[in-house]
Amino acid sequence: MKAAVLKSFGSPLAIETVPAPVLGTGEVIVDVVASGVLAYANEVLSGARNYLLELPIVFGAGCVGRVRATGPDATRLRPGDWVFCDPTVRSRDNALAPDVMLQGLTGGSEGGLKLQKYFHDGSWAERLRLPTENAIPIGAIDAKDAGRWCALGKFLVPFGGFLAAKLQAGEIVLVNGATGSFGSGAVAVALGMGAQCVIATGRNETALADLAQRFGARVRTVKMLGSEADDRARIVQAAPGPIDCVLDILPPAASAVQVRTAVLAVRPYGRVVLMGGVGMQGGAGLELPYPWMMRNCITLHGQWMYPPLAVTLMAGLIRSGQVTLDHFEVTAFDLDHANEAVAHAAAKSGPFSMTVIEP
């Protein structure tokens, strides 16, 4: 089969023929129809992000496709079923603290690298082999909409954060870093879950205005100007009431001060979820006042990715119309142009812009 292979960091993807995956027990093989391209894929491929990858590897994290074959332990999946292939692979031998890796993107940890040695290759190929539990039915869709359904990935990451925070309908949410692809997805998801209001922060004034125009009065935007106290004061002023939940999803280039600006805006007994990349490239750590956190009973939760049930729940929110895929502008490339797709994703990153590869 044809695949896009990363042979060494800093070199272009090699488009070549590789052996087709062989089915094993506890596994599914999927015909890949569309796979999203992360805005920062170029940083992973260059080695700048220092992701743990055993090379050579078929690159690509997650996809939408159709089941080709299932192992003997599958009781519901059938060939032809449309599925979202969740790249979040968990070890099966420790339910309390499983190792986690993102298939086709990073081992995440030394334990995750052991998983990667087996579930080695990603989705930028004609076929993908993955654990049975990671091939999650999404119901019948039109094949021409498969690329748009890759937006599930943009929604699932912040959805995992809101599930961890136990977000309730009617609450006020602050999305810190709302102008990126995952941050803008967080705004859409919070509204779909019933948030009374979303305070969206960012430095890109044009992107903030776009969010306000798309979602109307339930979104209030705050441009971050760089002064911690002043920015926090404007966040609090913009909110129609006490802020119940803060989701930080700032990228690695942001500073810990930007995180603290948002965290300290939450109300007493409020919840904060950290999902961004701050600190991944070095720099000062996040300093929070112990007495303030203790006296105000603040819940601080770190969250990487999302629980397995999240895909089913998010597909339900999309099918019910609470969250829509219609906002996304999709640009598709075939496998032969995977390197061009990576460049395009980096150049056209931002709210509701999505690049996909369609093998």
Side-chain angles (χ1 to χ4, degrees):
M1 67 174 185
K2 185 184 293 186
V5 182
L6 176 63
K7 295 187 173 182
S8 62
F9 291 113
S11 65
L13 292 164
I15 313 303
E16 58 187 37
T17 299
V18 301
V22 177
L23 183 67
T25 300
E27 298 168 8
V28 172
I29 292 178
V30 170
D31 289 322
V32 178
V33 180
S35 178
V37 182
L38 291 165
Y40 59 83
N42 61 329
E43 298 176 26
V44 180
L45 295 169
S46 71
R49 288 219 172 195
N50 295 316
Y51 277 13
L52 294 176
L53 286 170
E54 183 183 63
L55 305 181
I57 188 171
V58 176
F59 198 71
C63 70
V64 171
R66 306 192 78 170
V67 173
R68 183 179 185 89
T70 63
D73 61 325
T75 62
R76 303 291 180 89
L77 285 175
R78 296 288 184 270
D81 285 351
W82 283 98
V83 291
F84 176 77
C85 297
D86 184 0
T88 315
V89 179
R90 296 171 174 84
S91 60
R92 296 164 168 167
D93 54 352
N94 189 331
L96 183 63
D99 288 301
V100 183
M101 70 108 170
L102 299 182
Q103 187 173 2
L105 183 63
T106 178
S109 66
E110 291 302 318
L113 273 178
K114 293 182 180 179
L115 282 173
Q116 191 182 96
K117 289 180 185 297
Y118 184 73
F119 290 108
H120 185 259
D121 292 323
S123 55
W124 292 4
E126 293 176 314
R127 298 177 194 169
L128 172 67
R129 177 177 62 89
L130 71 164
T132 303
E133 63 270 24
N134 285 63
I136 304 168
I138 58 174
I141 66 172
D142 193 315
K144 66 180 176 57
D145 293 329
R148 199 170 304 279
W149 272 88
C150 288
L152 268 169
K154 306 289 188 184
F155 291 145
L156 283 168
V157 172
F159 188 43
F162 289 134
L163 290 175
K166 297 179 172 61
L167 179 63
Q168 303 294 308
E171 290 193 315
I172 297 173
V173 176
L174 167 59
V175 175
N176 198 37
T179 57
S181 57
F182 289 109
S184 56
V187 174
V189 170
L191 294 173
M193 294 176 72
Q196 172 195 160
C197 177
V198 177
I199 310 302
T201 71
R203 294 181 178 274
N204 186 326
E205 196 166 6
T206 301
L208 290 173
D210 178 72
L211 288 171
Q213 188 275 329
R214 286 178 188 271
F215 296 111
R218 288 172 65 199
V219 172
R220 302 186 181 184
T221 62
V222 178
K223 183 179 180 181
M224 306 297 274
L225 301 176
S227 169
E228 180 179 350
D230 290 345
D231 284 345
R232 187 180 305 119
R234 290 185 300 107
I235 287 171
V236 172
Q237 184 179 23
I243 295 171
D244 302 289
C245 174
V246 173
L247 176 72
D248 180 86
I249 200 158
L250 286 168
S255 73
V257 172
Q258 292 172 264
V259 181
R260 186 172 65 231
T261 299
V263 170
L264 297 183
V266 77
R267 66 165 171 83
Y269 295 88
R271 295 99 67 205
V272 177
V273 181
L274 304 179
M275 295 199 78
V278 171
M280 290 176 61
Q281 297 178 347
L286 177 61
E287 295 183 3
L288 297 173
Y290 188 113
W292 174 82
M293 292 191 65
M294 180 268 293
R295 292 293 299 272
N296 288 290
C297 302
I298 303 299
T299 299
L300 183 66
H301 191 111
Q303 179 70 27
W304 192 42
M305 303 303 286
Y306 41 84
L309 183 61
V311 178
T312 301
L313 295 176
M314 180 52 61
L317 285 172
I318 292 169
R319 290 198 173 275
S320 69
Q322 302 304 307
V323 176
T324 179
L325 303 176
D326 293 342
H327 289 294
F328 285 90
E329 179 183 339
V330 181
T331 305
F333 294 80
D334 59 23
L335 263 178
D336 287 330
H337 296 89
N339 289 295
E340 289 87 338
V342 170
H344 182 272
K348 301 294 184 179
S349 65
F352 307 110
S353 176
M354 190 165 58
T355 305
V356 300
I357 290 176
E358 298 180 344

